Amino acid sequence: MKIRLLLSYKGTHFFGWQKQSRQRTVQGEIEKILFQLFKRKISLVGSGRTDAGAHALGQTAHFELEEGLKNIDLKKALNSLLPFDISVLDCWKAPLEFHARFSAKKKSYRYFIFTGDSPPALFRDLVWWKKGDLDLEKLNKMSQELIGTKDFKSFQSAGSDVKNTVRTIYESRWIKMSNSLYCYKITGSGFLKQMVRNLVGTYIGLLKEKRANQKLKQILKALDRRKALSLVPSQGLYLKKVFYSSSLDKICYKI
Amino acid sequence: MKIRLLLSYKGTHFFGWQKQSRQRTVQGEIEKILFQLFKRKISLVGSGRTDAGAHALGQTAHFELEEGLKNIDLKKALNSLLPFDISVLDCWKAPLEFHARFSAKKKSYRYFIFTGDSPPALFRDLVWWKKGDLDLEKLNKMSQELIGTKDFKSFQSAGSDVKNTVRTIYESRWIKMSNSLYCYKITGSGFLKQMVRNLVGTYIGLLKEKRANQKLKQILKALDRRKALSLVPSQGLYLKKVFYSSSLDKICYKI
């Protein structure tokens, strides 16, 4: 049987999602617990990687279980065994065709910027601290330029072997959450390596420029990472949700 | 000259406010930085202690400075030297009669409970996780019983040398912040040792009782700590604000 998991984690003390031999990673920690629970090696497949330090409000993953669940309350068992910075929000029995990565249709990310003039002592790991108010209108004009199907090669960091850099962006907007907290919301068919962090860094960098919109368009058109501005830190980044087709969601059963 | 500070800190990695010889404390860390900055021993006086693990959104403290500030931008200097989990929100030049502890008129605390059925991976240090919805109406009926001037001896933890246990409570109410986040707000003339944590533990414990209100009144009247229910963990507790008289506030000048 196939098990689908909805996960939340705080990325601060992980070297990202993907398993590495000597580092603490989300995939590695969960696989350790699955081994403990089922007494054999189980591979966990995520919807995609997340960067070291980046968080998840709703990452999706799956694994296969030959023998079935027996009488285990899986969510409860996992949450009682997992470390404090990983949480299982939901478990489903999924059809065999479900694949956390290949079945994913869309993803949503959030990026949080705290703009107060004193450091956010309580939330240092959970936001990017950048002093000074942001021009929300200007940010939203730029972020609107992304909507649609475009080649985002300029916003892909080096070290990726992805060849097709065309993606569709459905939602791209900034909101002011409170006096000194801003949030960027982006939803797309998929994302390139460090794309959200590269995008946010470019928006913020262009804020001080005239004709920022035009410049953003030029950067997009250049299809060249060296044209984009430097990326923002990972601690402000959250994988919010991974979307699957509703027909597939319908044949996943909560357990 | 006297300097007044407004501080925020994340209590997780502190053994509380008060300096101890071998433990990391908020007072101890700030005094270390003051020594570094002014090259001499400076005593920091807080409005009161906070428990190990408890947080501050607005703690007030003061210190004296014989030589004046010269050209130091104090807030900037402190924030650049202080560790990541302490933040200076504001600095004032205060009159000599200002005393962080003795001049305090009121204090506000918050206590946050997360009631979702999965652990809050992103906020484990910042809330108390207790599964299951809370009866807000019942909580608020109980919390109303506290309003006024009463003897709170039943809610004072052992190990305190405070003799007068009469305090005035001005505000005492529960609010639901979101689907699974509850907040208790309490404002009073002063608080006894672990009083807020003892109170919240008693409310929560009494939720399953009939005539919870009557029982709370009986506990109050008993003037006996053994009658109150067990206290809740410190990680949900926040010192929100310390209030001083407006006439004193008026003669503090932001620097």
Side-chain angles (χ1 to χ4, degrees), chain A residues 8-10 55-57 75-76 79 84-90 117-126 131 238, chain B residues 8-10 55-57 75-76 79 84-90 117-126 131 238:
Chain A
S8 174
Y9 47 85
K10 182 178 179 182
H55 317 291
L57 291 160
K75 179 172 155 179
K76 210 172 162 181
N79 279 328
F84 270 24
D85 42 5
I86 304 178
S87 171
V88 176
L89 303 177
D90 266 315
D117 68 344
S118 295
L122 280 151
F123 308 104
R124 274 311 265 269
D125 296 334
L126 297 172
K131 281 189 207 184
Y238 293 71
Chain B
S8 174
Y9 47 85
K10 182 177 179 182
H55 316 292
L57 291 160
K75 180 171 156 180
K76 211 172 162 182
N79 279 328
F84 270 25
D85 42 4
I86 304 178
S87 171
V88 176
L89 302 178
D90 267 314
D117 68 345
S118 294
L122 279 151
F123 308 104
R124 274 311 265 271
D125 297 333
L126 297 172
K131 280 188 207 185
Y238 293 72

